[in-house]
Amino acid sequence: MVVRSIKDGISWVGAIDWDLRLFDSLIPTPKGTSYNSYLVKGSEKTVLLDAVGEEMEMELVTNLMTAQADEVDYIVVHHAEQDHTGCLPLLLELYPSALVLTSPKAKELLIEFFGIEEERIRVVEDRETVDLGGKTMQFFHAPWVHWPDTMFTYIPEDRIIFTCDFLGSHLAASDLYINDPERLYESAKRYYAEIMMPFAGSIPAYLDTIESLDVEIIAPSHGPLYNNPDLILGYYREWATADPKNTAVIAYVSMHGSTKKMVDILGNALIGEGVDVERFNLAESDIGLLAMSLVEAKTVIVATPTVLFGAHPLAIYAAYLAAAIKPKAKYATVIGSFGWGGKAVKQIADIIAPLKCEVIEPVYIKGHPTEKDITAIKELAKTIAAKHAE
Ligand code: FEO
């Protein structure tokens, strides 16, 4: 538990979870995460921006006591997801005169999630300002990064913008700011891939909004802050808008070696054709690394053996994840092997259909690859390389 000063009258009062290894029981977080909460004291009003989940609420409350937040006039909820709002019922008890300021959609969700009384919530309009005395909060509605309820808060006097999940990272760190590009890159990209990539289409406009403001500090709700905003804004611009690279990602699982043999042949043939290859053995891979590789891949390949009549469950999981996070890949295909039941390829192809990629003719073989199968796999590599070259 620690309070960290950001600017005169602005402090970080959140919680760091150093041990978390799976966020939402889904997303690997090898470096933990933080739940950032900010206390802003104007000469007239005190406000808390973002809160923490129920399990971290005592950390936040202790920090608020340390920061001498005897009164809180407003609690700004940028986004209703429970990792930032789980402690809201407690906060509203501790500060009985505090008013929640939030977007229309978040108001609806807060009432549904926590039964918060409507009169404790005030909806703020896009671009509305609230004076704190010497500091002004300006709200920017920002739906779909990553929920429909999201908004940002900008304080022009301090040149700081609070962006909630947007531009965040899952990184537990003692540093208030992150200035090391290498250290930032992996945590922020992992976070982008898993949480923001499905909303890549919404992102450029929000980057434009932030760049149109005079911003010295970006303060997200997860991970360290940025006092060099261009770094993270540049990464997001590239991840969201740049054309995919000449890379094929192969997510595979093999039971008796046939599918792995196919992957070996295809991977080597692709390299021989000048295509960069990233391989993930799903039996032991960090699914977050797979998600990161999908940010820039041009082709997604799922390789699966057959379990009973269908695909291996790990391949189904990877295909489902790939379809859900919506990478900008242009091509997809499936390869695999079967013994006596042959529906795995169709099953995977159906799962990845939402990717809206061009599906290149799969290669599905019986048992171990024969010479004829090897020729077909090499032809597939040629086809992929030719598509990448278009
Ligand atoms: Fe960190 Fe969408 O909540």
Side-chain angles (χ1 to χ4, degrees), residues 53-185:
E54 192 177 7
E55 65 284 0
M56 307 298 272
E57 63 188 15
M58 289 323 294
E59 301 249 348
L60 173 59
V61 169
T62 305
N63 283 341
L64 287 171
M65 289 167 67
T66 305
Q68 299 179 319
D70 303 328
E71 296 290 336
V72 168
D73 300 285
Y74 303 120
I75 300 171
V76 172
V77 171
H78 290 123
H79 162 46
E81 195 165 12
Q82 290 90 333
D83 53 329
H84 308 293
T85 56
C87 69
L88 199 52
L90 174 66
L91 291 176
L92 291 174
E93 268 185 50
L94 288 176
Y95 299 109
S97 57
L99 204 54
V100 172
L101 304 182
T102 197
S103 69
K105 185 65 184 173
K107 174 182 176 180
E108 193 183 308
L109 294 172
L110 291 176
I111 292 171
E112 284 167 0
F113 290 173
F114 305 110
I116 291 171
E117 297 152 354
E118 203 169 343
E119 54 270 26
R120 300 289 309 265
I121 305 175
R122 190 180 121 202
V123 164
V124 293
E125 302 299 323
D126 185 34
R127 314 268 165 158
E128 184 179 336
T129 58
V130 170
D131 184 18
L132 303 176
K135 295 184 190 296
T136 312
M137 293 190 294
Q138 184 171 28
F139 305 105
F140 290 84
H141 289 187
W144 301 117
V145 284
H146 65 134
W147 277 23
D149 60 343
T150 307
M151 65 177 201
F152 308 150
T153 298
Y154 175 54
I155 299 182
E157 293 85 353
D158 293 298
R159 302 171 64 214
I160 183 168
I161 188 162
F162 301 88
T163 56
C164 196
D165 283 346
F166 188 54
L167 308 174
S169 63
H170 283 313
L171 176 59
S174 57
D175 316 52
L176 185 58
Y177 300 102
I178 189 158
N179 288 310
D180 175 353
E182 278 184 41
R183 193 156 163 241
L184 166 65
Y185 188 82

Side-chain angles (χ1 to χ4, degrees), residues 307-388:
V307 178
L308 298 174
F309 299 98
H312 192 289
L314 288 174
I316 291 172
Y317 177 46
Y320 180 84
L321 179 81
I325 62 177
K326 294 189 172 25
K328 56 194 172 189
K330 293 182 182 301
Y331 309 102
T333 192
V334 189
I335 61 172
S337 168
F338 68 101
W340 46 265
K343 297 209 169 128
V345 161
K346 178 168 186 332
Q347 194 177 12
I348 296 293
D350 288 347
I351 294 169
I352 60 176
L355 285 177
K356 302 198 187 319
C357 295
E358 179 183 333
V359 177
I360 300 171
E361 185 65 26
V363 176
Y364 197 36
I365 67 167
K366 189 159 190 176
H368 214 62
T370 62
E371 281 306 316
K372 184 168 153 251
D373 299 328
I374 291 169
T375 301
I377 294 166
K378 288 181 176 173
E379 279 304 312
L380 175 60
K382 279 193 198 321
T383 304
I384 292 169
K387 298 273 184 195
H388 281 208

